[in-house]
Amino acid sequence: MTSKETRKLLDHWREAVPDDRLAHLIKDATRALVRGLQMRLVDYNVSFGHWAFLRILWEQDGQTQRELSELAGVMEPTTFSAIKAMESLGYVERRHLPGNNKNIHVFLTRNGRALKKKLVPLAEEVNAIGTRGLTDAEIKVARKVLLTIIANMADDETSAENAERRVPSTRELSRRINEAA
């Protein structure tokens, strides 16, 4: 999306659909923040997908690939590809822990750890840009609202699981669509 397209999107929200669903607004705000960070990460040859795993590992180094998938909210093949690429870039290494040849754990290398000092300020910059013009009280309210939405949706998902509803895999959904057609 170009800055012109972003401005057009903003006009759309302000004029065409000022009372549209909050989910759409959150999605577009997320997209804008992600793009802002992506534009900065590229200077360090880090993709946004790698950023997600680096953030997790900076806080909890030595996760298994399965744990990384769960924490990042992505499928295991996605994690495998990202970790393989990050390994070739010298950001992580995969290894077995002593006495456990079953699980492969992912550890940051010195270069991977060093990226934190370079990349976290970029994310802080994007957050500062995104919240420019808002008071600390408004940011606090926004955080409360978003955390409440996340909690409510987690409760809804738990209810759905109890009712045996779930999000089908892409493959299963495709099969269902083909059968319906």
Side-chain angles (χ1 to χ4, degrees), residues 57 61-63 65 68 83 92-94 104-108:
L57 292 169
D61 201 13
Q63 299 292 311
Q65 289 180 187
L68 282 170
I83 296 305
V92 299
E93 62 182 5
R94 296 179 289 175
I104 297 175
H105 293 260
V106 180
F107 292 90
L108 291 165

Side-chain angles (χ1 to χ4, degrees), residues 153-166:
M153 296 313 299
D155 291 345
D156 179 67
E157 199 168 331
T158 299
S159 297
E161 288 170 358
N162 292 340
E164 297 186 15
R165 285 190 321 235
R166 62 179 176 73

